[in-house]
Amino acid sequence: FCLQFSGGHVHERVQVLRDDGRCVGISLRAFCCVIWPHISECDLEVLLGWCKAYQAQRTLHELMKVMRHEDVDLDAEDIAELFAALEGNTDGQLPVDELHRLGCLDVETARKLVARLDADRSARLTKLEVRSVVHQLDTALREQFRAACLMHPQTNREAN
């Protein structure tokens, strides 16, 4: 990668995108095409699949913090990507075997995660059940903000 980037053509192409002004961001697919302009579509799909799998594993790792009663740094988009990457049959649910096989969790850890988050006791996680973790964080943050506002009412009136 360093060799590719320092070779000049990548730096020039990124510079053109930046200077253009119309390009605010760049997709991973486009970035890969800039780095490897001659990559085949098949190889590009494999590379993007690896990236999705890596991100899904990071999201699962973050979700596992629930088991340790730690704060979880996830949003609805992370959860949607997790399901898109791990759902073998696209039924909107993640059973223990898919978490184990596709999420690279050991069976016992996958069972514990499902047991912790499975509100309807279906032995599968739904997006709604996993999103509840994010909702709980949003609710907790809202309550902390409300408490802070109640503790400092003068600051709020001065701001208005």
Side-chain angles (χ1 to χ4, degrees), residues 20-123:
D20 185 13
R22 292 180 292 164
C23 184
V24 177
I26 185 170
S27 70
L28 180 58
R29 176 181 291 278
F31 183 72
C32 290
C33 289
V34 167
I35 299 297
W36 299 288
H38 304 292
I39 192 169
S40 72
E41 185 66 27
C42 182
D43 289 343
L44 180 59
E45 289 302 318
V46 168
L47 178 64
L48 293 175
W50 289 340
C51 292
K52 287 178 185 176
Y54 173 77
Q55 185 59 36
Q57 289 174 357
R58 285 187 49 113
T59 300
L60 271 176
H61 180 75
E62 189 66 26
L63 193 57
M64 292 304 297
K65 289 182 178 180
V66 168
M67 306 296 289
R68 299 184 302 269
H69 303 286
E70 297 176 13
D71 290 338
V72 177
D73 184 20
L74 294 174
D75 59 25
E77 186 177 333
D78 293 326
I79 293 165
E81 289 175 4
L82 173 69
F83 274 77
L86 295 187
E87 248 188 312
N89 57 9
T90 65
D91 65 354
Q93 300 181 354
L94 290 173
V96 170
D97 68 314
E98 285 180 3
L99 288 168
H100 166 64
R101 193 170 32 87
L102 302 172
C104 298
L105 293 179
D106 64 81
V107 174
E108 188 58 31
T109 301
R111 280 191 186 121
K112 287 179 182 177
L113 182 63
V114 169
R116 174 74 167 81
L117 298 177
D118 184 20
D120 65 1
R121 301 294 177 230
S122 64

Side-chain angles (χ1 to χ4, degrees), residues 142-157:
R142 192 171 27 253
E143 291 302 317
Q144 288 175 356
F145 184 72
R146 185 176 294 135
C149 289
L150 291 174
M151 289 178 58
H152 304 288
Q154 289 175 309
T155 307
N156 294 332
R157 282 195 294 265

